[in-house]
């Protein structure tokens, strides 16, 4: 694969992700919707993949779609059910064409899976794992996932604590407890750094508490 930049940071926190990525074994990206957390995580991971510093990208989401709507109602096997999620990730990376994405997936260099299938696996041997929507993990799942890290592996965890679909959100306390450990990085995004429509911060503010 030829070296190429897949994303250009568009706000200060995305630049901080780029700086923190190389020195972090586990990197948390925390903040509101629309600030480009997934964009930055996948940008760094895919650059390492294209530059052959990493051999594989593992993209993981919990099986709790918006509002708890069950993914089981979608047709097809696991790969087909997760395809809309991987497609949404590609949407924020315009340099990653559908042909490139398909080639990377077909050769196993990109793998998409659900959180439930991570039990027993190890994220090592030059694998970078991006866990998206981590605000929807419970503590059992968070412990399980964080204990997957192995030698030569890297984990990026993204989430917005204010958009959790669970009764108890544990992303924030997890970050607070682990921040400061060697190899653990934390980048916080705020609403002023939205890279989607400028209405988003005001919408989220007005809906808070309803």
């Amino acid at each position: 694969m030829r070296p190429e930049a897949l994303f250009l940071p568009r706000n200060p926190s995305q630049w901080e992700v780029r700086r923190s990525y190389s020195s972090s074994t586990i990197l948390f990206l925390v903040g509101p919707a629309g600030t480009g957390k997934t964009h930055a995580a996948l940008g760094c991971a895919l650059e390492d993949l294209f530059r052959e510093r990493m051999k594989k990208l593992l993209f993981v989401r919990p099986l709790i779609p918006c509002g708890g709507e069950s993914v089981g109602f979608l047709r097809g096997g696991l790969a087909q059910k997760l395809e809309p999620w991987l497609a949404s990730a590609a949407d924020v990376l315009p340099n990653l064409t559908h042909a490139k994405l398909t080639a990377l997936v077909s050769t196993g260099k990109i793998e998409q899976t659900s959180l439930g299938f991570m039990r027993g696996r190890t994220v090592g041997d030059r694998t970078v794992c991006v866990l998206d929507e981590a605000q929807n993990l419970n503590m059992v799942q968070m412990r399980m996932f964080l204990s997957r890290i192995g030698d030569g592996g890297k984990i990026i965890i993204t989430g917005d604590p204010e958009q959790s679909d669970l009764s108890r959100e544990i992303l924030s306390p997890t970050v607070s407890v682990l921040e400061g450990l060697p190899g653990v990085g934390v980048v916080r995004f705020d609403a002023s750094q939205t890279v989607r429509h400028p209405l988003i911060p005001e919408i989220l503010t007005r809906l808070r508490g309803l």
Side-chain angles (χ1 to χ4, degrees):
M1 291 181 289
R2 61 187 177 87
E4 62 177 282
L6 289 171
F7 88 107
L8 180 65
R10 296 173 59 188
N11 60 38
S13 290
Q14 288 186 5
W15 281 108
E16 182 59 31
V17 171
R18 190 161 219 171
R19 287 188 290 268
S20 300
Y21 173 79
S22 59
S23 60
S24 300
T25 300
I26 299 173
L27 181 60
F28 290 94
L29 312 185
V30 182
T35 51
K37 302 181 296 297
T38 302
H39 175 94
L42 288 173
C44 289
L46 283 162
E47 278 190 346
D48 261 6
L49 193 65
F50 271 74
R51 295 177 188 276
E52 299 183 347
R53 292 188 290 247
M54 287 293 189
K55 297 193 298 186
K56 182 171 183 173
L57 165 60
L58 186 57
F59 184 69
V60 180
R61 275 190 174 183
L63 284 179
I64 304 181
C66 182
E69 181 182 351
S70 175
V71 74
F73 288 107
L74 299 178
R75 294 182 178 179
L78 178 64
Q80 289 173 289
K81 291 178 179 180
L82 294 178
E83 183 62 32
W85 288 341
L86 192 58
S88 70
D91 286 344
V92 297
L93 296 168
N95 290 338
L96 184 60
T97 64
H98 186 269
K100 288 180 183 177
L101 178 63
T102 301
L104 290 168
V105 172
S106 65
T107 57
K109 293 184 180 296
I110 292 180
E111 180 186 350
Q112 53 180 339
T113 191
S114 72
L115 181 65
F117 287 87
M118 288 299 294
R119 190 175 295 277
R121 297 189 64 168
T122 300
V123 179
D125 190 25
R126 290 168 58 203
T127 294
V128 54
C129 180
V130 175
L131 171 63
D132 204 23
E133 306 289 354
Q135 74 274 2
N136 283 328
L137 270 64
N138 60 41
M139 185 53 73
V140 171
Q141 292 170 320
M142 182 65 80
R143 289 195 190 101
M144 180 276 290
F145 181 76
L146 288 173
S147 63
R148 300 305 93 202
I149 191 69
D151 187 40
K154 189 182 289 282
I155 285 174
I156 311 174
I157 298 173
T158 77
D160 176 8
E162 293 195 6
Q163 294 202 51
S164 176
D165 291 307
L166 303 179
S167 58
R168 181 185 175 220
E169 182 273 311
I170 57 88
L171 177 59
S172 299
T174 298
V175 171
S176 297
V177 168
L178 298 183
E179 189 170 10
L181 280 177
V184 176
V186 179
V187 178
R188 291 180 173 84
F189 293 69
D190 62 66
S192 68
Q193 300 182 62
T194 183
V195 294
R196 292 182 190 160
H197 198 282
L199 270 173
I200 289 177
E202 185 62 27
I203 290 171
L204 294 178
T205 298
R206 294 191 179 207
L207 293 178
R208 187 175 292 119
L210 293 181

